[in-house]
């Protein structure tokens, strides 16, 4: 097992190496014995009478620190997650029994049918509809531990509402909306893996935003569309392109929400050039590293921006 772990070239913290060892042990051995029991053969008993529940611990646990079994539990929790379905009024009207606006045309038609003897008022009200949601998800090497779990969340999101468009980017931009529309999540992710060729590669955020703005924005952004960007913001190239494309994206979207796994660190500071280039153009800056953060996003996807997630506080360094 140690020889296999040495083949991983990327440096990692002791916590990440321990989590990787657990997932490797789960894949190599049977599920009837735990990794700790196989090491020394002793059983460990814990008194959990005053400890937090397993579900609460799982909700707050980092995706990268989860074992294979815990990741399966997280995917199952995402599949049954209730998502917010707040609708927005449109400019169109439809007939209503107790609407707020009088329909003069239908009222006149009803009056003519009765020969003008009886006036039957007809009413109409505004049509409400969910605004389009466009998701841009980073699948580079630094995001691989989170992007695969987030894809389960996006599949549940597409199953719960319409007009959702999902794009993945690493070194290139890939539209996976059709692949992710499959009802079975395993079949959908299998099709996604076949359509994407740059898993766990480099990061070219500016180039991906440029391609989206010039090839997809006019097709999917409209009717007060919202944009969800999932990335750590660690750009490998010049950050000036990111700033230009984010400015162009800001002018076309109603709202931009940025999910960044780096916010899991208490002492996170927006010092990277790519992060500082993106922050002035987003409305909310949220974490995306555990189930709790995804639940909070589902609850507040179309609510007002709170001071806790205001990106300006990160630009000020507070």
């Amino acid at each position: 097992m140690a020889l296999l772990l040495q083949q991983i070239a990327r440096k990692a913290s002791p916590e990440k190496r321990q989590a990787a060892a657990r997932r490797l042990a789960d894949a190599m051995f049977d599920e009837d014995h735990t990794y700790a029991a196989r090491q020394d053969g002793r059983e460990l008993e814990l008194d959990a009478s005053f400890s937090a529940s397993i579900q609460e611990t799982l909700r707050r646990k980092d995706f990268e620190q989860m074992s294979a079994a815990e990741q399966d539990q997280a995917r199952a929790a995402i599949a049954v997650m209730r998502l917010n379905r707040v609708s927005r009024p449109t400019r169109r009207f439809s007939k209503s029994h107790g609407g707020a606006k009088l329909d003069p045309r239908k009222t006149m038609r009803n009056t003519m049918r009765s020969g003008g003897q009886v006036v039957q008022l007809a009413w109409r009200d505004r049509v409400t509809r969910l605004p389009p949601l466009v998701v841009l998800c980073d699948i580079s090497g630094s995001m691989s531990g989170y992007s695969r779990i987030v894809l389960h969340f996006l599949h549940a999101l597409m199953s719960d509402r319409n007009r959702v468009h999902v794009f993945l980017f690493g070194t290139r931009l890939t539209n996976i909306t059709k692949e992710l529309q499959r009802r079975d999540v395993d079949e959908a992710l299998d099709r996604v893996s076949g359509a994407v060729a740059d898993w766990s590669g480099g990061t070219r955020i500016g180039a991906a935003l440029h391609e989206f703005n010039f090839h997809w924005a006019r097709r999917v952004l409209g009717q007060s569309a919202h944009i969800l960007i999932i990335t750590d913001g660690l750009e490998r190239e010049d950050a000036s392109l990111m700033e230009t494309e984010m400015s162009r994206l800001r002018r076309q979207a109603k709202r931009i929400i940025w999910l960044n796994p780096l916010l899991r660190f208490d002492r996170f500071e927006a010092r990277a050039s790519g992060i500082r280039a993106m922050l002035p153009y987003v409305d909310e800056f949220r974490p995306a590293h555990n189930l709790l953060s995804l639940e909070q996003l589902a609850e507040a996807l179309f609510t007002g921006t709170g001071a806790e997630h205001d990106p300006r506080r990160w630009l000020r360094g507070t």
Side-chain angles (χ1 to χ4, degrees):
M1 188 185 304
L3 291 176
L4 290 175
L5 290 177
Q6 289 176 2
Q7 296 177 8
I8 301 177
R10 188 177 65 176
K11 294 183 179 180
S13 62
E15 293 80 6
K16 291 183 178 181
R17 289 198 297 268
Q18 185 179 4
R22 289 199 304 269
R23 289 193 291 269
L24 179 60
D26 293 338
M28 293 181 61
F29 299 98
D30 56 86
E31 298 179 354
D32 296 334
H33 301 84
T34 62
Y35 176 60
R38 285 193 297 270
Q39 283 185 317
D40 52 11
R42 294 177 296 178
E43 295 183 357
L44 181 63
E45 296 183 358
L46 296 176
D47 182 9
S49 57
F50 296 96
S51 60
S53 65
I54 299 177
Q55 291 79 7
E56 184 65 22
T57 303
L58 186 65
R59 291 175 65 238
R60 299 180 180 274
K61 192 167 188 178
D62 196 307
F63 289 140
E64 280 197 343
Q65 305 303 319
M66 289 183 178
S67 63
E70 290 172 338
Q71 288 183 354
D72 291 338
Q73 296 177 15
R75 296 187 185 99
I78 291 174
V80 298
M81 186 179 296
R82 297 186 62 182
L83 305 177
N84 199 350
R85 295 180 57 86
V86 178
S87 301
R88 298 297 183 187
T90 65
R91 291 180 293 180
R92 297 183 180 274
F93 287 86
S94 64
K95 63 180 181 180
S96 175
H97 295 290
K101 191 175 181 64
L102 181 68
D103 191 344
R105 291 185 178 181
K106 191 171 183 179
T107 300
M108 291 299 297
R109 287 196 299 267
N110 295 337
T111 303
M112 293 175 64
R113 290 192 187 100
S114 62
Q117 299 297 326
V118 179
V119 177
Q120 183 180 358
L121 298 179
W123 301 91
R124 60 179 183 173
D125 207 348
R126 286 191 180 273
V127 176
T128 59
R129 192 177 185 183
L130 291 170
L133 179 64
V134 179
V135 183
L136 302 173
C137 182
D138 190 348
I139 56 171
S140 61
S142 58
M143 288 286 298
S144 60
Y146 301 96
S147 57
R148 298 183 184 276
I149 300 293
V150 170
L151 281 177
H152 284 261
F153 173 77
L154 297 179
H155 180 269
L157 190 65
M158 294 188 68
S159 301
D160 188 69
R161 53 175 292 169
N162 57 358
R163 298 201 297 174
V164 178
H165 307 274
V166 181
F167 297 82
L168 302 183
F169 67 89
T171 57
R172 69 190 72 177
L173 184 71
T174 306
N175 185 2
I176 63 164
T177 303
K178 292 183 178 180
E179 288 78 7
L180 212 57
Q181 286 176 344
R182 296 285 175 173
R183 183 177 298 272
D184 183 74
V185 62
D186 294 327
E187 181 183 357
L189 295 184
D190 183 65
R191 289 179 176 269
V192 168
S193 62
V196 178
D198 54 342
W199 282 104
S200 301
T203 309
R204 300 179 64 222
I205 304 177
L209 293 177
H210 176 80
E211 184 177 353
F212 174 81
N213 285 329
F214 281 86
H215 293 92
W216 294 100
R218 297 185 64 181
R219 308 183 194 181
V220 299
L221 295 182
Q223 299 181 348
S224 302
H226 295 183
I227 297 180
L228 192 63
I229 302 178
I230 307 171
T231 179
D232 53 11
L234 302 180
E235 175 64 291
R236 303 289 181 88
E237 300 178 349
D238 187 9
S240 60
L241 178 61
M242 292 179 58
E243 186 172 1
T244 302
E245 299 303 328
M246 284 297 300
S247 176
R248 182 176 286 112
L249 195 65
R250 171 73 278 175
R251 295 192 295 268
Q252 302 177 84
K254 176 69 174 181
R255 188 180 183 189
I256 300 179
I257 303 175
W258 182 5
L259 303 182
N260 193 330
L262 295 180
L263 286 178
R264 67 186 186 273
F265 300 114
D266 296 334
R267 298 183 180 180
F268 170 80
E269 296 181 2
R271 294 185 177 182
S273 58
I275 296 178
R276 299 193 67 86
M278 293 179 62
L279 275 178
Y281 304 100
V282 302
D283 299 296
E284 289 190 30
F285 193 40
R286 290 177 169 270
H289 62 285
N290 55 20
L291 285 175
L292 180 60
S293 60
L294 296 182
E295 291 174 1
Q296 292 174 349
L297 172 67
E299 295 174 358
L301 196 55
F302 294 108
T303 58
T305 303
E308 181 183 359
H309 306 291
D310 188 355
R312 291 175 295 182
R313 62 187 292 258
W314 302 105
L315 289 173
R316 293 193 299 263
T318 59

